[in-house]
Amino acid sequence: MDKVTSAKALIRDALAEGQRPCFTCSFQAEDVVVLHLLLEEKPDIPVLFLDTGYHFPEVYAYRDALKEKLGFQLINLSPSLSREEQERLYGKLYETDPTRCCQIRKVDPLFRALEDYDTWFTGLRREQSPTRAHLKPREEAILKSGHRLIKVNPLYDWTLKEVFAYLAVADLPHLPLYDQGYLSIGCAPCTAKPLDPKDPRSGRWAGKGKLECGIHLHPKEA
């Protein structure tokens, strides 16, 4: 079974089992592949975007262009504090305490939203980071409230080369930041080009010893 067929089978099986699916999408290349595969099976699936207020302008422009092209149901999740309110209260947390910044702007809004779903699709891949090397195609996510979801990672064993090959065949554009040398793209203040070519996420939170924002860790470990 080739990887596209395998990914489609994972998606179909999960959709058949769950009644309330959603997909978290940052509009990186692998997310767009999963989005395209999901829309073939469930065109009305909620697509959750963590609008932190710190994204590159290119990300917002690409998100909107892709929504126009594919016509999906976009749900922008915002933190309880605006960017300006947070900086007024705490200063630039992304410089002084990036883990707390991620908690406020990513983890808390997402986990609140996930209470409404039972199946969570992601674009995670093993190749993305040492922290994801043992990623499984299906996992269980448990929120702090005790709410449980099935977490589905259709591209868990894909390479970045395979991701871009799919985009080319499907005639889907990619985020322009890849053409500048970025391999893992998050909030602009905490994203740089990879320090280690073998670790795409080594440019995230560069120099702070951090590889994950917390949304893809068990809440008790985040």
Side-chain angles (χ1 to χ4, degrees):
M1 183 183 295
D2 66 67
K3 289 185 178 179
V4 173
T5 303
S6 177
K8 288 182 176 181
L10 277 169
I11 287 171
R12 290 194 189 108
D13 289 348
L15 288 174
E17 295 170 19
Q19 300 300 312
R20 298 180 298 161
C22 69
F23 171 47
T24 48
C25 185
S26 65
F27 296 99
Q28 296 184 76
E30 45 276 293
D31 286 346
V32 176
V33 172
V34 176
L35 175 62
H36 190 252
L37 293 171
L38 280 168
L39 292 177
E40 290 181 344
E41 300 295 328
K42 188 171 179 58
D44 64 343
I45 189 167
V47 177
L48 311 182
F49 173 70
L50 287 167
D51 191 354
T52 65
Y54 286 109
H55 288 293
F56 288 93
E58 292 91 338
V59 171
Y60 290 113
Y62 177 71
R63 175 200 65 183
D64 295 344
L66 206 59
K67 183 179 186 300
E68 181 70 21
K69 179 180 177 68
L70 299 179
F72 50 86
Q73 182 189 170
L74 177 66
I75 299 176
N76 292 309
L77 303 180
S78 299
S80 56
L81 294 174
S82 70
R83 172 177 172 170
E84 294 75 20
E85 288 170 336
Q86 178 174 303
E87 291 187 0
R88 187 165 60 250
L89 288 171
Y90 307 116
K92 295 180 178 179
L93 278 178
Y94 55 82
E95 293 179 347
T96 60
D97 192 348
T99 296
R100 187 179 185 192
C101 189
C102 288
Q103 184 74 34
I104 294 171
R105 310 206 73 72
K106 289 186 174 184
V107 180
D108 290 345
L110 177 61
F111 285 178
R112 282 196 298 268
L114 288 178
E115 294 285 349
D116 294 331
Y117 303 101
D118 59 23
T119 307
W120 173 16
F121 290 95
T122 84
L124 298 181
R125 297 184 297 111
R126 289 174 177 168
E127 187 191 54
Q128 289 172 327
S129 172
T131 56
R132 301 177 181 182
H134 302 292
L135 185 71
K136 297 176 182 178
R138 288 171 60 111
E139 303 171 327
E140 184 180 56
I142 307 173
L143 305 184
K144 291 180 179 179
S145 67
H147 180 60
R148 296 172 181 263
L149 305 93
I150 297 300
K151 187 175 180 181
V152 186
N153 311 306
L155 307 190
Y156 71 101
D157 60 348
W158 285 41
T159 65
L160 188 61
K161 183 177 179 179
E162 289 168 331
V163 167
F164 274 92
Y166 182 98
L167 294 180
V169 171
D171 192 27
L172 291 168
H174 59 262
L175 186 58
L177 290 166
Y178 286 105
D179 297 329
Q180 299 178 29
Y182 293 95
L183 293 180
S184 180
I185 302 159
C187 293
C190 295
T191 299
K193 296 171 187 177
L195 303 176
D196 178 358
K198 296 180 180 179
D199 181 1
R201 289 180 69 83
S202 62
R204 303 286 291 274
W205 305 284
K208 295 184 173 66
K210 180 176 170 67
L211 289 177
E212 297 286 350
C213 65
I215 64 175
H216 293 302
L217 301 175
H218 189 291
K220 292 181 180 179
E221 301 172 352

